Amino acid sequence: ITPFEEGVAEVHVTNPGTYWVLIPNSSCQSSDPVTIDYIIPNFDLGDDFTACPGDLIDLGGDELPYHADYTWTVNGTEVTEVTEGDPWSHSFTAAENSSYIIRLTVAAELYGIVCEHSDEIEITVGPEPFISLSEIEAVCAGSELVAEYRDYQSYEWTLDGTVVSTENSFVPEKAGLYTLVVRTTDGCGATKDIQVSIHDLPEVTLDELMDCVGENGVFQVSSFPAGSSFRWYNGNTETWSAPTTGIGSTFTATEPMELIVVEVTDNNGC
């Protein structure tokens, strides 16, 4: 065995292990071994990171091979409810729009010597991905299908695997099962399949009418679904009539008119 120091009465060591000193003289020698065990806790909670709402956060590591006291704090408040029999780890569910500064302090004692080590990590949680639409939606032909806009997320609509829009709203060209994927600036995503149907617009035709002087002109639309709504526009007065409901409606012109408009809204709102 090669000694690492000779001729000195005191040495400094940096590694655990068993050390001994030999004290030779002219006729004999003696030795006295001593075991050095470092109990300074050594752990790392990792780098700061961003989590998604609802993520299960699990921090900690392996239990130290000797008795130690573990103290967890979250945003400066000590955690009193830890997993029974597992104080060296801490788990929780991330809540949206939250920030967690988590510190673990470990104090270990051996042979009356107390050593302590702490590490801290910050976890940031942004908003939850949001989709306002239900699984079944209907639009009128030519109208937009609109998902509520949130400035912190992107939108992607697909139909049969083809991207049809990257906006929060678009005009569906055909009915089908659309998939909407939203993703926040933190990389958190949500997906929903939406069955979209398209209602045809009501077909309305008004014929020009010519009557004798002194006679009223009667305009009529009919054969629409029950519950449809009707409004008439008088070009002479530039006003709209109050809406009426039913399957049809009439308008009587008591004087010559250059413009008459009828607006029909069916029971689908189209």
Side-chain angles (χ1 to χ4, degrees), residues 156-165 174 176-181 193:
E156 183 181 85
W157 298 85
T158 59
L159 176 64
D160 299 329
T162 300
V163 176
V164 295
S165 177
K174 62 180 180 179
L177 184 63
Y178 290 79
T179 299
L180 173 58
V181 178
D193 291 329

Side-chain angles (χ1 to χ4, degrees), residues 43-103:
F43 61 89
D44 184 2
L45 294 179
D47 297 331
D48 298 344
F49 65 92
T50 299
C52 296
D55 282 355
L56 178 63
I57 308 300
D58 191 5
L59 300 173
D62 297 331
E63 182 183 13
L64 297 176
Y66 39 77
H67 173 74
D69 293 322
Y70 302 81
T71 303
W72 291 91
T73 61
V74 178
N75 295 334
T77 301
E78 184 176 347
V79 177
T80 56
E81 296 182 4
V82 296
T83 306
E84 185 176 354
D86 189 11
W88 53 87
S89 66
H90 177 56
S91 300
F92 65 96
T93 300
E96 68 171 332
N97 299 320
S98 301
S99 179
Y100 305 91
I101 299 176
I102 301 172
R103 174 179 288 271

Side-chain angles (χ1 to χ4, degrees), residues 209 211 215-219 234 236 251-257 260:
L209 182 65
D211 277 323
E215 295 183 358
N216 295 333
V218 178
F219 297 87
N234 185 327
N236 288 358
F251 178 84
T252 301
T254 59
E255 60 182 342
M257 303 179 67
I260 298 175

Side-chain angles (χ1 to χ4, degrees), residues 195-216:
Q195 185 67 48
V196 178
S197 58
I198 300 176
H199 297 305
D200 292 330
L201 299 180
E203 295 184 6
V204 183
T205 302
L206 282 181
D207 294 326
E208 293 184 357
L209 182 65
M210 182 178 294
D211 277 323
C212 298
V213 175
E215 295 183 358
N216 295 333

Side-chain angles (χ1 to χ4, degrees), residues 2 5 18 30 55 62 69 91 114 151 157 185 195 200 226 261:
T2 302
E5 289 283 358
T18 300
S30 63
D55 282 355
D62 297 331
D69 293 322
S91 300
V114 178
D151 60 3
W157 298 85
T185 53
Q195 185 67 48
D200 292 330
V261 178

